[in-house]
Amino acid sequence: FTLQEEHRKLIKEIEQEYPRYFDLKYQTKTAEIMDIQGVLNQGEALLNYLLDTEKKIIYILYISQNNSEIKVAESKENPVVISEDFVACIKNQYLGGALRNGSLLYSVLIDPVRGTLEKENINKLLIIPDHILFNVPFEVLVPWIFYKSYDSKSDGERRELENKIPYLIRDYAISYHFS
């Protein structure tokens, strides 16, 4: 109890003697979309994800310098299970499973905004994941159309394709941020 009291006194002292520092450290302010747009560079887009795991819905807040929109993606399969399987396949070096699950994630995480990314010539993604998505390496997500083609090939043809896999990192620089 005395430690808590001393801590409160210290905070009060900092607030009185160093008000600017106190404001920076202890006051929280929610960023407005225009504030975020003001710090984004040309060619950058922020993708903020919010999962509703019960309804299998993913909300995507897309923000670029000149645009902002909210997209809603409905997953046929549970995104938590897909994400866990994706990470497990990567850890176990099971390429077929990683491509399958990575393409399922791509279809709900990237496809809903892909047209906008291309139209605005975006080359860098700032990703704010939610829930299990913090474990997902977005860099190695692949389009579903590639997986379908890969899955229909023979083992020899698959080996030839392995150096040509269109991972997301081939199209975008990617960084991660917290909300």
Side-chain angles (χ1 to χ4, degrees), residues 39-51:
V39 297
L40 289 174
N41 294 315
Q42 192 65 35
E44 293 181 338
L46 181 136
L47 300 175
N48 189 354
Y49 294 94
L50 178 64
L51 268 65

Side-chain angles (χ1 to χ4, degrees), residues 5 39 45 57 85 97 104 115 133 143-144 147 150 154 167:
E5 186 60 34
V39 297
I57 293 176
D85 289 349
L104 289 171
L133 297 180
W144 179 253
Y147 173 72
Y150 176 88
S154 69
Y167 294 118

Side-chain angles (χ1 to χ4, degrees), residues 46 124-129 134 175-179:
L46 181 136
K124 182 174 183 183
L125 302 178
L126 297 98
I127 295 174
I128 301 175
F134 276 102
S175 64
Y176 299 91
H177 298 272
F178 297 101
S179 61

Side-chain angles (χ1 to χ4, degrees), residues 13-31:
E13 185 178 321
I14 291 171
E15 179 182 9
Q16 292 170 350
E17 292 189 33
Y18 306 99
R20 184 163 153 66
Y21 172 79
F22 181 84
D23 286 345
L24 289 172
K25 173 94 173 148
Y26 295 102
Q27 300 299 322
T28 58
K29 179 187 175 215
T30 304

Side-chain angles (χ1 to χ4, degrees), residues 46-60:
L46 181 136
L47 300 175
N48 189 354
Y49 294 94
L50 178 64
L51 268 65
D52 182 335
T53 55
E54 288 181 22
K55 295 180 182 174
K56 300 180 190 170
I57 293 176
I58 300 171
Y59 299 94
I60 306 167

Side-chain angles (χ1 to χ4, degrees), residues 42-43 69 79 85 96 117 120 133 140-141 144 159:
Q42 192 65 35
E69 55 191 42
D85 289 349
L117 293 169
E120 294 190 2
L133 297 180
V140 293
L141 298 179
W144 179 253
R159 278 191 288 283

